[in-house]
Amino acid sequence: MPQPTLPLASDPRRVAYRKPQPWGMAPDLVVHGVMTSDERLWAPVAEGIWSRPLHLSVSGGHYTHVLRVRRSGVLQRHRHSGAVHAYVIRGRWHYLEHDWVAEEGSYVFEPPGETHTLVVPDDCAEMITLFTVHGALMYVDPDGQSIGYDDVFTRIDKYRAHFEAVGFGADHVRQFMR
Ligand code: FE
């Protein structure tokens, strides 16, 4: 029988926190296999674009997902009402409005208020990026006129429809919600 690893009383660093967590705290959330090959977990967003939800915050108004793009060219133009954090896992992309390129291993902060046009270069077969998006993406024309939007709630609607369609049931989305 393997001996359980018990914390040594002589080493206070190994003693777990033993008081209750705060009342009302949301449960933690762990998603294993983020880059899963199970296609049912990748919800189609548009032609050649999929989204894998990780954390959908209905009380904070933000969401974290992995965006997978297997087509090149201009994807869309949008304005952010909140901050965005991005980490490029594979491939690369850039905005028409900036001269930098987000490459594999790059971190990008997109400030609230910014409008930009997302492009995946032609020689990039697959782009995969983890995004945390606060607030809404407003899709706009080149003059900034709004032509639609996405936020955590439109995302949830789309994930629900997808999970229902692949047989997981719409409520499969609940495990990602906090
Ligand atoms: Fe953006």
Side-chain angles (χ1 to χ4, degrees):
M1 280 272 294
Q3 290 298 305
T5 350
L6 291 172
L8 296 171
S10 58
D11 185 353
R13 292 169 304 180
R14 289 185 63 92
V15 177
Y17 174 65
R18 54 193 163 205
K19 303 293 280 186
Q21 304 291 349
W23 186 91
M25 190 189 84
D28 54 2
L29 168 57
V30 179
V31 179
H32 297 287
V34 168
M35 302 295 288
T36 180
S37 57
D38 184 345
E39 287 301 315
R40 297 172 300 177
L41 292 165
W42 293 89
V45 170
E47 179 66 33
I49 308 178
W50 296 262
S51 168
R52 161 105 156 102
L54 299 179
H55 175 214
L56 306 168
S57 177
V58 291
S59 52
H62 53 87
Y63 58 97
T64 298
H65 71 136
V66 179
L67 188 72
R68 186 182 73 186
V69 179
R70 290 180 176 161
R71 78 173 154 89
S72 59
V74 173
L75 301 191
Q76 26 93 345
R77 185 185 309 100
H78 57 262
R79 182 186 204 273
H80 289 284
S81 72
V84 175
H85 304 272
Y87 175 71
V88 183
I89 296 167
R90 189 176 299 162
R92 61 193 192 284
W93 49 269
H94 64 275
Y95 290 123
L96 291 182
E97 295 78 6
H98 294 290
D99 57 8
W100 49 261
V101 177
E103 301 170 311
E104 186 171 315
S106 298
Y107 162 80
V108 176
F109 166 70
E110 305 181 6
E114 176 158 288
T115 301
H116 46 216
T117 311
L118 179 60
V119 179
V120 173
D122 287 338
D123 58 351
C124 180
E126 184 179 63
M127 177 279 261
I128 299 177
T129 300
L130 177 91
F131 283 103
T132 293
V133 180
H134 293 256
L137 267 82
M138 286 159 284
Y139 303 110
V140 296
D141 71 13
D143 295 312
Q145 287 297 313
S146 181
I147 52 178
Y149 72 94
D150 263 315
D151 61 15
V152 65
F153 299 104
T154 64
R155 289 286 183 198
I156 287 171
D157 279 346
K158 290 167 190 173
Y159 295 135
R160 282 173 54 79
H162 170 71
F163 289 140
E164 184 69 27
V166 296
F168 286 161
D171 277 357
H172 187 77
V173 79
R174 285 191 188 278
Q175 67 191 276
F176 305 110
M177 293 169 58
R178 290 292 186 275

